[in-house]
Amino acid sequence: MIKVCTAYSLNELPLGTKGRVIALGLFDGIHQGHLDIIRKTEAIAERDGLTSTVQTFKNLIKNGNRALYTHEERAKLIGSEGVDEILMLDFDSVKDMEPEAFLTEVLYNRAIADTLVMGEDYRFGRNASGDVNLIKEFAKEHDIRVIVVKDHLIEGSDEKISTTVMRRALEEGNVDLVRDLCGGRNYSYSGYCAHGKQLGRTLGFPTANLVVPDEKFVVRRGVYVSRISLGKRVLYGVTNIGRRPTVEDAENDVAETFIFDFDEDIYGARIELELLHFLRAEEHYGSKDELTAAVEQNKLQAAEYLKSRNLNAK
Protein backbone atom coordinates (compact mmCIF):
# COMPACT_ATOMS: atom_id res chain seq x y z
CA MET A 1 0.00 0.00 0.00
CA ILE A 2 1.37 3.41 -1.00
CA LYS A 3 1.61 5.86 1.89
CA VAL A 4 -0.10 9.20 1.28
CA CYS A 5 2.06 12.15 2.33
CA THR A 6 0.43 15.52 3.02
CA ALA A 7 2.24 18.87 2.97
CA TYR A 8 1.05 21.25 5.68
CA SER A 9 1.74 24.89 6.43
CA LEU A 10 2.59 25.62 10.07
CA ASN A 11 -0.98 26.67 10.90
CA GLU A 12 -2.43 23.60 9.17
CA LEU A 13 -0.18 21.09 10.94
CA PRO A 14 -2.38 18.67 12.94
CA LEU A 15 -2.07 19.06 16.70
CA GLY A 16 -3.14 15.55 17.58
CA THR A 17 0.08 13.62 17.16
CA LYS A 18 1.87 10.65 18.63
CA GLY A 19 5.10 12.64 18.57
CA ARG A 20 7.12 13.74 15.58
CA VAL A 21 10.53 12.81 14.23
CA ILE A 22 11.40 15.94 12.26
CA ALA A 23 14.04 16.22 9.55
CA LEU A 24 15.49 19.74 9.49
CA GLY A 25 16.96 21.44 6.44
CA LEU A 26 16.37 23.44 3.30
CA PHE A 27 16.27 20.22 1.26
CA ASP A 28 16.64 22.23 -1.93
CA GLY A 29 18.34 19.69 -4.20
CA ILE A 30 17.11 16.45 -2.54
CA HIS A 31 20.58 15.01 -3.16
CA GLN A 32 22.02 11.92 -1.47
CA GLY A 33 22.99 13.86 1.66
CA HIS A 34 19.40 15.06 2.00
CA LEU A 35 18.07 11.59 1.28
CA ASP A 36 20.21 10.16 4.09
CA ILE A 37 18.53 12.55 6.54
CA ILE A 38 15.02 11.91 5.22
CA ARG A 39 15.44 8.13 5.24
CA LYS A 40 16.92 8.19 8.74
CA THR A 41 13.90 10.20 9.91
CA GLU A 42 11.46 7.75 8.36
CA ALA A 43 13.29 4.73 9.81
CA ILE A 44 13.33 6.12 13.37
CA ALA A 45 9.65 7.06 13.19
CA GLU A 46 8.72 3.63 11.85
CA ARG A 47 10.74 1.87 14.54
CA ASP A 48 9.37 3.94 17.43
CA GLY A 49 5.77 4.36 16.30
CA LEU A 50 6.08 8.11 15.71
CA THR A 51 5.16 10.48 12.88
CA SER A 52 7.88 11.13 10.28
CA THR A 53 7.96 14.79 9.27
CA VAL A 54 10.24 16.63 6.85
CA GLN A 55 10.46 20.39 7.33
CA THR A 56 11.21 22.33 4.16
CA PHE A 57 10.23 25.64 2.55
CA LYS A 58 8.29 27.40 -0.15
CA ASN A 59 9.47 30.77 -1.52
CA LEU A 60 12.98 29.40 -1.15
CA ILE A 61 15.04 32.11 -2.80
CA LYS A 62 18.19 32.40 -0.72
CA ASN A 63 20.80 35.09 -1.36
CA GLY A 64 19.17 35.80 -4.70
CA ASN A 65 19.54 32.18 -5.88
CA ARG A 66 16.57 30.45 -7.44
CA ALA A 67 15.52 27.14 -5.87
CA LEU A 68 16.64 23.94 -7.57
CA TYR A 69 13.10 22.63 -7.27
CA THR A 70 9.78 24.40 -6.85
CA HIS A 71 8.10 23.65 -3.55
CA GLU A 72 5.55 21.46 -5.39
CA GLU A 73 8.35 19.42 -6.97
CA ARG A 74 10.18 19.20 -3.65
CA ALA A 75 7.05 17.97 -1.88
CA LYS A 76 6.57 15.26 -4.50
CA LEU A 77 10.17 14.07 -4.21
CA ILE A 78 10.12 14.05 -0.42
CA GLY A 79 6.75 12.31 -0.35
CA SER A 80 8.08 9.56 -2.61
CA GLU A 81 10.45 8.58 0.21
CA GLY A 82 7.54 7.32 2.31
CA VAL A 83 7.42 9.94 5.07
CA ASP A 84 4.10 10.71 6.78
CA GLU A 85 3.99 14.46 6.31
CA ILE A 86 5.83 17.58 5.19
CA LEU A 87 5.97 20.82 7.15
CA MET A 88 6.12 23.43 4.37
CA LEU A 89 7.20 26.71 5.93
CA ASP A 90 7.18 30.06 4.14
CA PHE A 91 10.87 30.95 4.00
CA ASP A 92 10.15 34.68 4.19
CA SER A 93 8.19 34.23 7.42
CA VAL A 94 10.91 32.39 9.35
CA LYS A 95 14.29 33.39 7.86
CA ASP A 96 14.66 36.33 10.27
CA MET A 97 13.47 34.50 13.38
CA GLU A 98 15.99 34.20 16.18
CA PRO A 99 17.15 30.57 16.45
CA GLU A 100 15.76 30.13 19.94
CA ALA A 101 12.37 31.44 18.84
CA PHE A 102 12.31 29.02 15.89
CA LEU A 103 13.09 26.08 18.16
CA THR A 104 10.53 27.09 20.77
CA GLU A 105 7.66 28.40 18.70
CA VAL A 106 7.85 26.21 15.61
CA LEU A 107 9.42 22.90 16.60
CA TYR A 108 8.56 22.53 20.29
CA ASN A 109 5.25 24.29 20.88
CA ARG A 110 3.64 23.82 17.46
CA ALA A 111 5.20 20.73 15.87
CA ILE A 112 5.64 18.88 19.17
CA ALA A 113 9.01 17.43 18.25
CA ASP A 114 10.09 14.18 19.86
CA THR A 115 13.25 13.81 17.76
CA LEU A 116 15.17 16.20 15.51
CA VAL A 117 17.30 14.86 12.64
CA MET A 118 19.79 17.02 10.73
CA GLY A 119 23.11 17.13 8.91
CA GLU A 120 26.40 18.04 10.52
CA ASP A 121 26.48 21.59 9.16
CA TYR A 122 22.80 22.48 9.65
CA ARG A 123 22.30 26.21 10.19
CA PHE A 124 19.09 28.12 10.79
CA GLY A 125 17.53 31.34 12.06
CA ARG A 126 18.50 34.96 11.54
CA ASN A 127 21.80 35.23 9.66
CA ALA A 128 22.11 31.42 9.95
CA SER A 129 23.23 31.97 13.54
CA GLY A 130 21.75 28.75 14.91
CA ASP A 131 23.69 25.50 14.66
CA VAL A 132 23.74 21.89 15.83
CA ASN A 133 25.29 22.76 19.20
CA LEU A 134 22.47 25.20 19.96
CA ILE A 135 19.92 22.54 19.07
CA LYS A 136 21.62 20.04 21.37
CA GLU A 137 21.48 22.50 24.26
CA PHE A 138 17.80 23.25 23.62
CA ALA A 139 16.98 19.56 23.20
CA LYS A 140 18.62 18.63 26.49
CA GLU A 141 16.46 21.15 28.34
CA HIS A 142 13.26 19.96 26.63
CA ASP A 143 13.86 16.19 26.53
CA ILE A 144 14.16 15.96 22.75
CA ARG A 145 16.37 13.47 20.95
CA VAL A 146 18.90 14.80 18.45
CA ILE A 147 20.25 12.69 15.60
CA VAL A 148 23.09 14.14 13.52
CA VAL A 149 23.62 12.41 10.17
CA LYS A 150 27.16 12.33 8.80
CA ASP A 151 28.03 14.04 5.53
CA HIS A 152 27.62 11.95 2.40
CA LEU A 153 30.88 12.19 0.46
CA ILE A 154 31.22 12.20 -3.30
CA GLU A 155 32.44 8.75 -4.32
CA GLY A 156 36.23 8.68 -4.47
CA SER A 157 36.51 12.14 -2.94
CA ASP A 158 36.81 13.89 0.41
CA GLU A 159 34.27 16.51 -0.73
CA LYS A 160 30.78 16.21 0.66
CA ILE A 161 27.70 16.17 -1.54
CA SER A 162 26.01 19.55 -1.19
CA THR A 163 23.58 21.87 -2.89
CA THR A 164 26.56 24.07 -3.80
CA VAL A 165 28.24 21.21 -5.68
CA MET A 166 24.93 20.38 -7.36
CA ARG A 167 24.39 23.98 -8.48
CA ARG A 168 27.92 24.21 -9.84
CA ALA A 169 27.42 21.04 -11.88
CA LEU A 170 24.13 22.30 -13.31
CA GLU A 171 25.71 25.62 -14.24
CA GLU A 172 28.22 23.61 -16.28
CA GLY A 173 25.51 21.42 -17.83
CA ASN A 174 26.92 18.36 -16.08
CA VAL A 175 23.60 16.60 -15.50
CA ASP A 176 25.41 13.24 -15.48
CA LEU A 177 27.20 14.23 -12.27
CA VAL A 178 23.96 15.58 -10.78
CA ARG A 179 22.33 12.21 -11.43
CA ASP A 180 25.09 10.59 -9.36
CA LEU A 181 24.76 13.21 -6.60
CA CYS A 182 21.04 12.45 -6.41
CA GLY A 183 21.35 8.67 -6.27
CA GLY A 184 20.32 8.02 -9.87
CA ARG A 185 17.56 10.64 -10.18
CA ASN A 186 17.78 12.97 -13.16
CA TYR A 187 17.40 16.71 -12.77
CA SER A 188 14.00 17.71 -14.08
CA TYR A 189 11.51 20.41 -14.93
CA SER A 190 7.75 19.92 -14.71
CA GLY A 191 4.65 21.83 -15.68
CA TYR A 192 2.04 22.24 -18.35
CA CYS A 193 2.86 22.20 -22.04
CA ALA A 194 2.56 25.80 -23.21
CA HIS A 195 1.72 27.34 -26.56
CA GLY A 196 4.78 28.72 -28.30
CA LYS A 197 5.16 30.56 -31.58
CA GLN A 198 5.33 27.21 -33.42
CA LEU A 199 8.62 28.21 -35.01
CA GLY A 200 9.96 24.70 -34.54
CA ARG A 201 7.08 23.27 -36.54
CA THR A 202 7.77 25.62 -39.45
CA LEU A 203 11.41 24.46 -39.38
CA GLY A 204 10.46 20.79 -39.37
CA PHE A 205 10.86 19.95 -35.70
CA PRO A 206 7.70 20.66 -33.63
CA THR A 207 8.39 21.06 -29.94
CA ALA A 208 6.64 20.69 -26.58
CA ASN A 209 7.35 23.81 -24.57
CA LEU A 210 7.70 24.36 -20.83
CA VAL A 211 8.23 27.86 -19.48
CA VAL A 212 10.78 27.77 -16.65
CA PRO A 213 9.10 29.27 -13.54
CA ASP A 214 10.60 32.48 -12.20
CA GLU A 215 11.55 30.78 -8.93
CA LYS A 216 13.21 27.76 -10.59
CA PHE A 217 16.92 27.37 -11.26
CA VAL A 218 18.02 27.51 -14.90
CA VAL A 219 20.65 24.97 -15.93
CA ARG A 220 23.37 25.83 -18.43
CA ARG A 221 21.52 27.04 -21.48
CA GLY A 222 21.87 24.63 -24.33
CA VAL A 223 20.78 21.30 -25.79
CA TYR A 224 20.20 18.10 -23.79
CA VAL A 225 19.13 14.54 -24.41
CA SER A 226 15.89 14.22 -22.48
CA ARG A 227 13.19 11.89 -21.20
CA ILE A 228 9.57 12.99 -21.06
CA SER A 229 6.86 11.55 -18.85
CA LEU A 230 3.39 12.17 -20.26
CA GLY A 231 0.80 10.43 -18.14
CA LYS A 232 1.96 6.82 -18.00
CA ARG A 233 3.99 7.13 -21.18
CA VAL A 234 7.76 7.57 -21.21
CA LEU A 235 9.17 9.27 -24.30
CA TYR A 236 12.59 10.54 -25.36
CA GLY A 237 13.77 13.59 -27.18
CA VAL A 238 16.09 16.56 -27.56
CA THR A 239 15.55 19.64 -25.40
CA ASN A 240 16.85 23.16 -25.81
CA ILE A 241 16.78 25.25 -22.67
CA GLY A 242 17.30 28.95 -23.17
CA ARG A 243 16.04 32.06 -24.87
CA ARG A 244 16.20 31.08 -28.55
CA PRO A 245 18.72 33.72 -29.67
CA THR A 246 18.55 32.77 -33.35
CA VAL A 247 14.79 33.19 -33.77
CA GLU A 248 13.59 35.32 -30.87
CA ASP A 249 16.01 36.21 -28.02
CA ALA A 250 13.17 35.83 -25.51
CA GLU A 251 13.08 37.39 -22.05
CA ASN A 252 12.12 34.15 -20.26
CA ASP A 253 13.81 30.77 -20.38
CA VAL A 254 11.88 28.03 -22.14
CA ALA A 255 12.52 24.29 -22.34
CA GLU A 256 11.64 23.27 -25.92
CA THR A 257 11.58 19.55 -26.56
CA PHE A 258 11.47 17.69 -29.85
CA ILE A 259 10.00 14.28 -28.98
CA PHE A 260 11.09 11.35 -31.15
CA ASP A 261 8.37 9.67 -33.23
CA PHE A 262 5.61 11.77 -31.71
CA ASP A 263 3.12 14.16 -33.27
CA GLU A 264 0.19 14.72 -30.89
CA ASP A 265 -1.44 17.87 -29.63
CA ILE A 266 -0.46 18.00 -25.95
CA TYR A 267 -1.00 21.68 -25.22
CA GLY A 268 -2.16 21.98 -21.63
CA ALA A 269 -0.95 18.48 -20.68
CA ARG A 270 1.23 18.10 -17.60
CA ILE A 271 4.68 16.73 -18.39
CA GLU A 272 7.89 16.01 -16.55
CA LEU A 273 11.12 16.66 -18.40
CA GLU A 274 14.30 14.89 -17.25
CA LEU A 275 17.70 15.99 -18.52
CA LEU A 276 19.89 12.99 -19.33
CA HIS A 277 22.99 14.37 -21.04
CA PHE A 278 24.36 17.72 -22.24
CA LEU A 279 25.09 18.02 -25.98
CA ARG A 280 26.07 21.63 -26.62
CA ALA A 281 25.76 25.18 -25.35
CA GLU A 282 23.09 27.55 -26.67
CA GLU A 283 24.32 29.33 -29.78
CA HIS A 284 23.23 32.13 -32.08
CA TYR A 285 23.18 30.94 -35.67
CA GLY A 286 23.42 33.20 -38.69
CA SER A 287 20.32 31.76 -40.35
CA LYS A 288 17.41 29.42 -39.75
CA ASP A 289 19.02 26.95 -42.14
CA GLU A 290 22.09 26.77 -39.89
CA LEU A 291 19.83 26.28 -36.88
CA THR A 292 17.93 23.48 -38.62
CA ALA A 293 21.20 21.72 -39.50
CA ALA A 294 22.38 21.96 -35.89
CA VAL A 295 19.10 20.50 -34.60
CA GLU A 296 19.31 17.60 -37.05
CA GLN A 297 22.84 16.90 -35.82
CA ASN A 298 21.65 17.02 -32.20
CA LYS A 299 18.83 14.57 -33.00
CA LEU A 300 21.41 12.12 -34.35
CA GLN A 301 23.64 12.60 -31.30
CA ALA A 302 20.71 12.07 -28.95
CA ALA A 303 19.62 8.91 -30.74
CA GLU A 304 23.16 7.54 -30.50
CA TYR A 305 23.31 8.36 -26.77
CA LEU A 306 20.01 6.60 -26.12
CA LYS A 307 21.07 3.57 -28.16
CA SER A 308 24.36 3.31 -26.26
CA ARG A 309 22.39 3.06 -23.00
CA ASN A 310 19.71 0.72 -24.32
CA LEU A 311 17.02 3.35 -23.95
CA ASN A 312 14.12 3.17 -26.39
CA ALA A 313 13.82 6.40 -28.37
CA LYS A 314 10.39 5.47 -29.71
Side-chain angles (χ1 to χ4, degrees):
M1 182 176 179
I2 299 175
K3 184 186 291 186
V4 177
C5 175
T6 302
Y8 299 103
S9 68
L10 186 60
N11 292 332
E12 295 171 337
L13 195 67
L15 289 174
T17 177
K18 50 191 175 181
R20 288 184 168 93
V21 184
I22 305 177
L24 299 177
L26 296 178
F27 298 110
D28 186 11
I30 319 292
H31 53 61
Q32 287 194 78
H34 292 150
L35 292 174
D36 288 347
I37 297 170
I38 293 169
R39 290 167 182 171
K40 184 69 172 180
T41 298
E42 201 279 330
I44 293 172
E46 181 72 19
R47 182 194 68 193
D48 296 347
L50 301 171
T51 299
S52 56
T53 305
V54 176
Q55 174 260 299
T56 185
F57 298 95
K58 63 180 179 179
N59 297 329
L60 183 55
I61 298 180
K62 185 181 179 185
N63 300 326
N65 291 323
R66 295 181 178 190
L68 292 178
Y69 290 102
T70 67
H71 72 273
E72 293 93 349
E73 291 170 336
R74 204 176 313 118
K76 181 180 178 181
L77 291 171
I78 292 171
S80 69
E81 289 298 318
V83 299
D84 294 312
E85 62 186 16
I86 297 167
L87 174 55
M88 185 72 70
L89 300 176
D90 187 323
F91 188 67
D92 290 337
S93 70
V94 299
K95 65 181 181 180
D96 292 326
M97 288 184 72
E98 295 297 338
E100 295 83 356
F102 181 79
L103 292 171
T104 301
E105 297 172 20
V106 176
L107 299 181
Y108 184 69
N109 292 338
R110 190 67 181 83
I112 316 175
D114 173 276
T115 304
L116 299 175
V117 186
M118 69 215 72
E120 293 179 87
D121 62 351
Y122 175 63
R123 310 284 302 195
F124 65 104
R126 183 191 292 272
N127 299 322
S129 55
D131 60 11
V132 172
N133 288 332
L134 179 61
I135 291 176
K136 288 180 176 178
E137 293 174 8
F138 179 89
K140 186 175 181 180
E141 296 175 4
H142 295 84
D143 194 27
I144 297 173
R145 284 186 298 182
V146 174
I147 307 295
V148 180
V149 178
K150 291 184 178 180
D151 292 337
H152 195 128
L153 301 182
I154 298 173
E155 186 174 356
S157 167
D158 292 331
E159 184 176 17
K160 72 172 184 176
I161 293 176
S162 68
T163 301
T164 298
V165 173
M166 189 172 169
R167 282 178 178 275
R168 187 167 65 235
L170 290 172
E171 287 170 351
E172 296 170 352
N174 193 349
V175 292
D176 301 79
L177 173 58
V178 169
R179 180 167 51 249
D180 292 339
L181 298 177
C182 295
R185 188 188 75 248
N186 296 304
Y187 189 67
S188 63
Y189 290 89
S190 62
Y192 295 96
C193 186
H195 281 279
K197 296 187 176 181
Q198 298 192 344
L199 293 171
R201 184 173 293 278
T202 65
L203 297 175
F205 45 90
T207 59
N209 300 332
L210 280 180
V211 178
V212 179
D214 289 339
E215 72 272 22
K216 172 103 176 183
F217 185 85
V218 180
V219 299
R220 183 182 182 186
R221 294 184 177 98
V223 179
Y224 296 80
V225 186
S226 57
R227 177 162 55 205
I228 304 92
S229 296
L230 175 64
K232 294 183 178 181
R233 287 186 288 177
V234 176
L235 308 163
Y236 293 90
V238 182
T239 296
N240 180 81
I241 295 182
R243 301 189 175 184
R244 299 172 285 186
T246 301
V247 296
E248 183 179 9
D249 200 16
E251 293 183 3
N252 299 316
D253 286 283
V254 177
E256 299 178 290
T257 302
F258 171 82
I259 304 174
F260 287 117
D261 301 301
F262 185 84
D263 188 19
E264 297 178 24
D265 183 352
I266 58 172
Y267 291 124
R270 184 165 185 85
I271 61 177
E272 180 177 359
L273 173 67
E274 300 173 69
L275 304 181
L276 306 184
H277 183 67
F278 180 76
L279 293 178
R280 66 168 173 84
E282 185 175 55
E283 296 182 40
H284 182 281
Y285 292 96
S287 69
K288 291 181 180 180
D289 287 342
E290 289 182 18
L291 172 61
T292 300
V295 172
E296 291 298 333
Q297 178 65 21
N298 296 150
K299 287 162 61 176
L300 292 173
Q301 292 170 327
E304 185 63 30
Y305 175 89
L306 295 169
K307 180 180 178 182
S308 70
R309 284 153 179 79
N310 296 316
L311 297 173
N312 186 359
K314 294 185 178 181

